[in-house]
Amino acid sequence: MPYHSQGQPVHDPKILRAIAHPVRNRILTELTASGSMRAADLARELGIPANQASFHLRQLAKYGLVEEDPDAARDKRDRVWRPTSEHGLTVRLDDLEQQPGGQAASAVFRQNAASWGHAVVDAAYHGPRDPETLRTVNESAVRLTQEEAGQLAEELDAVIAAWTKRTRGRGPERRTYLWFSVLQPYPETLAAEED
């Protein structure tokens, strides 16, 4: 799921637990990248049964993360879904951890995020090589103040948001690419372990 500084704020630990589920997270990601979709289309894209996609969409709707898009429906029986925020979500774990159930929800979220990060990096370095697919890994060190780091994060979010808006849709020549980035001070624990 796209997480941006401009995204819909997550205030409820229950929502944090809901988005920690990998299928729900992937559904939100696909809806953000592609725009409105039916459960059957999501199921085909994710390789899951349609009833499973429908169940997860209803759960996401229960927490206000997706909603029906009646303008995209063919008729009144046609259920088409869209994310409630086109900019993804903003998750501030420190704030959420202060609420009842927040620490447990944060622990689940962090564990899933760490597993996901590992899977992303592993796929980038070891995944199947398709000449029709671009794959890049970038790692850069930049000397920044906290204010400059915030400005850089906002600028990068704006670039990704503009590309998402510009390319949203289901054209047959397009596939969903993942932009995965982390901006933080260089992890001191990693530096200590290398010595």
Side-chain angles (χ1 to χ4, degrees):
M1 169 74 215
Y3 298 102
H4 297 290
S5 58
Q6 307 158 5
Q8 174 181 334
V10 174
H11 297 293
D12 186 343
K14 291 177 186 170
I15 295 175
L16 193 63
R17 291 183 87 127
I19 61 176
H21 191 286
V23 173
R24 292 182 198 144
N25 204 314
R26 179 70 172 96
I27 286 172
L28 287 169
T29 299
E30 198 59 44
L31 288 172
T32 301
S34 298
S36 299
M37 295 177 74
R38 291 167 185 80
D41 298 327
L42 282 162
R44 193 169 31 261
E45 190 70 33
L46 277 60
I48 61 174
N51 63 344
Q52 186 179 1
S54 292
F55 169 78
H56 288 299
L57 283 163
R58 288 191 307 274
Q59 291 299 307
L60 291 167
K62 174 179 161 182
Y63 293 108
L65 299 172
V66 301
E67 62 190 4
E68 288 192 50
D69 185 359
D71 295 336
R74 293 181 290 239
D75 56 43
K76 291 184 180 188
R77 292 177 298 155
D78 189 24
R79 295 183 84 181
V80 181
W81 299 89
R82 66 180 170 211
T84 54
S85 171
E86 68 178 40
H87 298 295
L89 302 173
T90 298
V91 176
R92 290 191 172 81
L93 293 178
D94 292 344
D95 296 339
L96 286 161
E97 288 172 352
Q98 303 306 312
Q99 298 182 38
Q103 292 203 353
S106 176
V108 170
F109 182 82
R110 287 175 197 259
Q111 181 180 9
N112 287 344
S115 295
W116 173 242
H118 179 78
V120 168
V121 171
D122 192 52
Y125 284 112
H126 303 293
R129 300 290 177 219
D130 178 355
E132 301 297 317
T133 302
L134 175 68
R135 185 187 314 249
T136 68
V137 177
N138 299 304
E139 183 179 332
S140 301
V142 185
R143 301 280 297 173
L144 302 168
T145 64
Q146 182 175 351
E147 183 179 327
E148 290 168 335
Q151 184 179 354
L152 176 58
E154 286 180 17
E155 290 176 16
L156 292 172
D157 281 353
V159 168
I160 297 303
W163 271 93
T164 301
K165 186 175 183 179
R166 187 165 96 193
T167 61
R168 187 169 282 136
R170 307 257 344 123
E173 71 283 357
R174 286 204 163 96
R175 65 185 297 181
T176 302
Y177 274 77
L178 171 67
W179 172 263
F180 182 88
S181 65
V182 176
L183 177 64
Q184 65 180 7
Y186 195 91
E188 298 299 330
T189 56
L190 295 179
E193 288 173 7
E194 292 172 359
D195 289 341

